[in-house]
């Protein structure tokens, strides 16, 4: 076995970890695979004869590729929601990426975390992902960013505060509310109409702003069956949706490939979900403090 064959075999051993790094850096499985492939091209040209820690070196190479991709990326944040979701799905299918695989990856990482990561500056994202998620020392991250280890530590600290968000007000029912929101999402994904109706108060009110449904006045739907029918029509969106803290309260965030498109806020009582607010207007989304739900929420 020559050196290139040996290196190719070792690279394949590390590919799952490298893809995980790329996905958390870029928020897209297709782009993560592109980054890993670019890293392989660089590694195969450079060789690894003098490398003591191959896994760490490969992680560094992938991270550098991802950092360059983040800095060059242009986000399309103003496209209509349905066009963006449908277009992205079609584009990924044409590129040979399985959308279901992408959804499973998003669920495993957490939609809310992907959304928050997408709001970070590239340097903050790299410092947080490599250190907090993959235990790469700041001394190894700092040269990638051309900063000192202390400055790199500060970048990760700022990112960490953003991920955790502002402390939520004490709420004895937080766990119960999370269960209700999780059940709402599961029923929507499964197309279980009756399960949705059972979660909703008979007189539930859903309000959606003009960025969701372009109408002169806010769009309003009343009644459990009407609201459940609307949820059934949004099944495709549900696959890109996950729990999130919205100003400290449990809600849902819809974010295809980590790019926030809308959020759902819930009012929940002992009698079920009484109100749902669907927000997609960019100015309103920017004012929401979105964070990752903790283990107890």
């Amino acid at each position: 076995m020559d050196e290139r064959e040996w290196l190719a075999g070792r690279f394949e051993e590390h590919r799952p970890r490298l893809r995980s790094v790329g996905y958390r850096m870029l928020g897209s499985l297709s782009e993560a695979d592109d980054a890993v492939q670019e890293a392989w091209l660089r590694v195969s040209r450079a060789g690894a004869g003098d490398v003591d820690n191959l896994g760490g070196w490969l992680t560094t190479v992938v991270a550098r590729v991802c950092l360059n991709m983040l800095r060059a990326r242009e986000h399309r944040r103003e496209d209509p929601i349905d066009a963006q979701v449908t277009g992205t799905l079609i584009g990924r299918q044409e590129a040979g990426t399985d959308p279901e695989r992408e959804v499973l990856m998003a669920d495993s990482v957490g939609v809310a975390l992907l959304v928050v990561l997408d709001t970070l500056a590239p340097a903050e994202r790299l410092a947080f992902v490599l250190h907090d998620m993959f235990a790469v020392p700041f001394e190894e991250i700092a040269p990638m960013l051309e900063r000192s280890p202390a400055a790199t530590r500060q970048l990760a600290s700022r990112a960490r505060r953003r991920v955790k968000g502002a402390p939520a007000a004490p709420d004895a029912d937080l766990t119960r509310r999370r269960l209700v929101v999780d059940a709402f999402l599961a029923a929507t994904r499964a197309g279980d109409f009756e399960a949705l109706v059972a979660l909703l108060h008979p007189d539930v009110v859903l309000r959606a702003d003009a960025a969701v449904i372009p109408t002169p006045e806010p769009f309003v739907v009343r009644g459990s069956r009407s609201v459940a029918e609307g949820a059934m029509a949004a099944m495709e969106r549900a696959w890109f949706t996950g729990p999130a803290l919205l100003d400290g309260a449990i809600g849902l965030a819809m974010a295809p490939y980590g790019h926030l498109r809308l959020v759902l806020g819930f009012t929940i009582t002992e009698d079920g979900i009484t109100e749902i607010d669907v927000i997609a207007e960019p100015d309103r989304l920017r004012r929401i403090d979105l964070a990752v739900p903790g283990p107890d929420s």
Side-chain angles (χ1 to χ4, degrees):
M1 180 183 296
D2 62 24
E3 181 182 349
R4 182 180 174 85
E5 291 176 336
W6 173 85
L7 184 57
R10 294 297 306 279
F11 189 92
E12 288 305 312
E13 292 175 10
H14 289 281
R15 184 179 290 273
R17 173 184 168 88
L18 300 178
R19 182 185 289 119
S20 294
V21 172
Y23 184 73
R24 286 156 179 78
M25 284 291 297
L26 300 169
S28 159
L29 195 52
S30 176
E31 290 184 355
D33 285 337
D34 290 344
V36 172
Q37 184 59 28
E38 173 63 23
W40 163 245
L41 294 176
R42 296 187 184 190
V43 166
S44 63
R45 288 194 297 264
D50 298 326
V51 176
D52 294 327
N53 180 1
L54 182 63
W57 181 59
L58 293 176
T59 298
T60 299
V61 175
V62 170
R64 288 182 182 276
V65 171
C66 291
L67 183 62
N68 291 337
M69 292 174 69
L70 283 176
R71 287 171 171 169
R73 176 189 287 174
E74 292 183 0
H75 294 289
R76 294 183 301 155
R77 297 188 182 276
E78 303 301 327
D79 292 351
I81 294 169
D82 290 326
Q84 178 69 23
V85 174
T86 303
T88 306
L89 273 171
I90 294 173
R92 296 305 182 202
Q93 287 172 323
E94 290 176 349
T97 299
D98 183 357
E100 292 185 7
R101 185 164 158 256
E102 189 101 32
V103 168
L104 289 173
M105 181 68 85
D107 276 350
S108 69
V109 175
V111 170
L113 178 58
L114 292 175
V115 170
V116 177
L117 289 176
D118 191 49
T119 67
L120 302 178
E124 291 176 335
R125 188 165 184 166
L126 183 138
F128 175 78
V129 167
L130 290 189
H131 181 267
D132 284 43
M133 297 185 175
F134 294 95
V136 178
F138 288 120
E139 289 75 14
E140 295 180 20
I141 302 171
M144 303 183 213
L145 301 175
E146 299 180 344
R147 305 197 186 200
S148 68
T152 303
R153 185 186 300 274
Q154 287 299 314
L155 289 173
S157 179
R158 287 204 299 268
R160 197 176 303 118
R161 289 194 297 270
R162 181 70 185 89
V163 168
K164 292 181 178 179
D171 187 350
D173 291 330
L174 193 59
T175 300
R176 182 183 65 84
R177 292 168 188 266
R178 172 66 186 270
L179 291 174
V180 172
V181 170
D182 284 348
F184 180 92
L185 178 60
T188 303
R189 286 183 171 183
D192 192 336
F193 181 82
E194 295 302 329
L196 272 173
V197 171
L199 292 168
L200 300 169
H201 187 280
D203 299 320
V204 61
V205 177
L206 180 145
R207 302 178 183 87
D209 63 30
V212 181
I213 300 175
T215 55
E217 300 294 333
F219 185 78
V220 178
V221 178
R222 301 179 186 276
S224 57
R225 302 192 75 82
S226 296
V227 170
E229 288 171 0
M232 292 294 94
M235 284 177 60
E236 186 175 75
R237 293 182 190 176
W239 289 107
F240 293 92
T241 301
L245 283 178
L246 310 176
D247 294 329
I250 288 292
L252 293 173
M254 196 275 280
Y257 306 98
H259 305 324
L260 184 63
R261 291 291 178 254
L262 62 79
V263 299
L264 287 82
F266 295 85
T267 300
I268 301 171
T269 70
E270 295 293 337
D271 297 321
I273 299 170
T274 58
E275 297 182 30
I276 303 174
D277 290 301
V278 188
I279 300 170
E281 292 177 355
D283 287 343
R284 297 183 69 194
L285 289 178
R286 280 191 286 269
R287 291 196 296 269
I288 294 172
D289 181 16
L290 189 148
V292 179
D296 297 327
S297 61

